[in-house]
Amino acid sequence: MESDRECLDALARGEREALVPLMERHYQRLFRVALAYVRTEEEALEVVQDAFVKAWRGAARWDPAGEPAHWLTRIAVNCAIDRYRRQRRRRAREEPLPEHADHDARWVSAGGGADLPLREREVRERLDRALLDLPARQRAVFVLRHYDERSLDEIARVLGLRLGTVKSTLHRAVTRLREALA
């Protein structure tokens, strides 16, 4: 099977079928990263699809000196950040239902599935809210470190940051999450 570099070179030449091996190799990892950002599977699927479309369209701009996996991860992170920002703007424009509005509790989503114990679901919801409240860079570093299990050096390369910046950003993210969850 072709290497990631060979696939990206083929994509740059317009060979669309070269996207298939890239998707097979990187889909699950990019999905985990996207899910940590947008917090729903449907949104994460759309983020990953957007990321692969952007990779296909931008393959000619890929720097062969770079690592293909890092490049794809960066695209997915950017797509997730964009989708999160669009969601946040949309939520800000939507008006909440009045407290006395007539609604059926069956239509209200618990966000975690009925099979999870109530306490675990509450903790997950609090963590989701706290993650969404982090600034984009802090969320990116935290997600890559704790959800994608990347080393600090890898995170620095993927995000184009200095190692010291990654360390301090991760520290601030963890501190903010601890405060939010306390």
Side-chain angles (χ1 to χ4, degrees):
M1 186 167 289
E2 297 178 348
S3 72
D4 289 348
R5 291 178 191 283
E6 292 169 335
C7 289
L8 284 173
D9 289 340
L11 275 177
R13 291 189 306 270
E15 299 174 28
R16 286 191 289 191
E17 63 277 357
L19 190 59
V20 173
L22 285 174
M23 291 174 69
E24 289 172 349
R25 288 183 208 132
H26 298 282
Y27 178 84
Q28 288 296 326
R29 183 177 52 78
L30 297 181
F31 178 80
R32 283 193 316 270
V33 169
L35 185 60
Y37 264 90
V38 294
R39 310 310 292 173
T40 69
E41 290 184 8
E42 296 82 20
E43 292 288 325
L45 286 170
E46 290 186 28
V47 166
V48 174
Q49 289 172 358
D50 291 346
F52 281 117
V53 168
K54 286 185 180 193
W56 171 59
R57 289 181 178 158
R61 293 186 308 271
W62 174 67
D63 178 9
E67 178 63 38
H70 293 162
W71 185 69
L72 291 170
T73 301
R74 183 67 209 164
I75 293 171
V77 166
N78 287 339
C79 288
I81 289 171
D82 290 345
R83 183 167 292 275
Y84 167 73
R85 286 179 179 157
R86 281 193 307 271
Q87 287 174 335
R88 189 174 60 188
R89 282 192 299 269
R90 190 177 320 124
R91 280 192 306 265
R93 287 191 312 260
E94 294 173 353
E95 292 183 36
L97 288 173
E99 288 183 35
H100 62 278
D102 187 27
H103 68 277
D104 189 334
R106 291 177 298 174
W107 306 112
V108 177
S109 171
D115 56 335
L116 291 176
L118 180 60
R119 181 75 178 135
E120 184 179 335
R121 202 166 50 231
E122 287 173 355
V123 170
R124 181 174 291 166
E125 288 171 358
R126 287 181 60 211
L127 178 60
D128 288 350
R129 282 191 304 274
L131 268 173
L132 292 175
D133 287 340
L134 288 177
R137 181 188 288 178
Q138 288 180 16
R139 190 172 343 105
V141 170
F142 185 86
V143 165
L144 290 172
R145 179 69 175 155
H146 294 288
Y147 286 82
D148 201 29
E149 299 176 353
R150 296 289 184 115
S151 72
L152 296 176
D153 288 326
E154 285 178 306
I155 295 169
R157 284 193 304 274
V158 166
L159 298 179
L161 301 171
R162 292 187 355 245
L163 181 59
T165 303
V166 170
K167 288 178 181 179
S168 63
T169 302
L170 180 60
H171 177 74
R172 284 193 300 275
V174 170
T175 300
R176 285 183 75 158
L177 288 172
R178 282 185 182 145
E179 290 170 358
L181 297 174

